[in-house]
Amino acid sequence: MNQIQEKNITLLYTFIQKGKVIVLVTCITMFFVLSVFYLHPSNINWVSQDNFSITNLLQFIFIDQILIELITTYCIALAIGNYAGFFKLNQLKISLSGLVLYGIKFLPLFLIAYFLFSPITTSIRYLYHYYILDRKTIDYFDSYFFLNGKLYLTYLVPVVSSGILLLSINIISTIRKIKLGNTMVGIKNLSLKVRTKRGERLISTKNISYQKKR
């Protein structure tokens, strides 16, 4: 870790675009948001509503929120990669000030990311509610049109949370790869004591291509 702290690390952004990362970040973000908003004492009255059921709750969490918001997280991950490439944000100094400054540089992206994915996600949610859940009374422009200040503010918390999570996972993944690379270099530079016909001698592991079983 000392070697990593002494210099900047080079960041790539392909890892956070992988499916497992997108699913993980989406699940963490949505459970956090749902806990903050829907378990708040002022909003807990939804449990006592007539249409409440475990089935509706599971549908809301896993389809209405997580499944649809996978698109949001993937769009943010793609945007982070393109944003970093355009502004050359591929170098990071591992220090408190370096990490804070790095995160602040992505804040403008998180503030406008809503306009990149919302036309897609809100339209999909509208179609799902209108045709699958048969909510024929809903109005698209009133509640689902992306140029909506209330929707923007609602999305702001999960967008920033997802963005910070993606950046953090990318940094941790990069550091792990650097450590693994240093470990492999160390292994290659080791010497082993082996027994030969001429007696015992030290051989560098980088000169060993295979081991034969006796």
Side-chain angles (χ1 to χ4, degrees), residues 11 30 35 61 71 78 81 88 90 102 106 118 123 139 143 148 152 156 166 176-177 179-180 182 188 200:
L11 295 167
M30 296 319 301
S35 298
I61 293 175
I71 300 172
L78 287 177
K88 303 186 186 309
N90 301 105
Y102 177 74
F106 280 91
S118 185
S123 296
D139 181 77
S143 303
N148 183 313
Y152 174 80
L156 196 56
L166 288 167
R176 288 185 62 186
K177 289 179 180 178
K179 284 185 175 181
L180 180 61
N182 291 340
K188 290 180 179 179
E200 292 185 345

Side-chain angles (χ1 to χ4, degrees), residues 173-187:
S173 172
T174 302
I175 292 175
R176 288 185 62 186
K177 289 179 180 178
I178 293 174
K179 284 185 175 181
L180 180 61
N182 291 340
T183 301
M184 295 305 296
V185 169
I187 291 174

Side-chain angles (χ1 to χ4, degrees), residues 121-167:
T121 55
T122 53
S123 296
I124 291 175
R125 184 172 283 109
Y126 169 77
L127 294 173
Y128 171 67
H129 289 173
Y130 191 88
Y131 291 104
I132 305 301
L133 300 184
D134 200 29
R135 299 176 183 173
K136 302 299 184 182
T137 59
I138 59 176
D139 181 77
Y140 175 78
F141 288 98
D142 182 49
S143 303
Y144 297 85
F145 187 53
F146 76 99
L147 293 179
N148 183 313
K150 183 179 179 181
L151 271 179
Y152 174 80
L153 294 176
T154 301
Y155 261 112
L156 196 56
V157 173
V159 166
V160 174
S161 301
S162 297
I164 292 174
L165 268 175
L166 288 167
L167 292 178

Side-chain angles (χ1 to χ4, degrees), residues 42-97:
S42 62
N43 297 325
I44 201 67
N45 60 335
W46 57 270
V47 177
S48 59
Q49 294 180 1
D50 295 334
N51 61 347
F52 172 78
S53 68
I54 297 299
T55 302
N56 288 342
L57 178 62
L58 294 176
Q59 167 270 317
F60 175 74
I61 293 175
F62 291 102
I63 299 178
D64 207 312
Q65 298 298 308
I66 293 177
L67 185 60
I68 294 177
E69 295 308 329
L70 288 173
I71 300 172
T72 297
T73 308
Y74 183 65
C75 289
I76 295 173
L78 287 177
I80 286 174
N82 286 283
Y83 183 86
F86 184 81
F87 290 103
K88 303 186 186 309
L89 301 177
N90 301 105
Q91 298 294 317
L92 171 66
K93 183 178 180 181
I94 303 300
S95 65
L96 180 59
S97 59

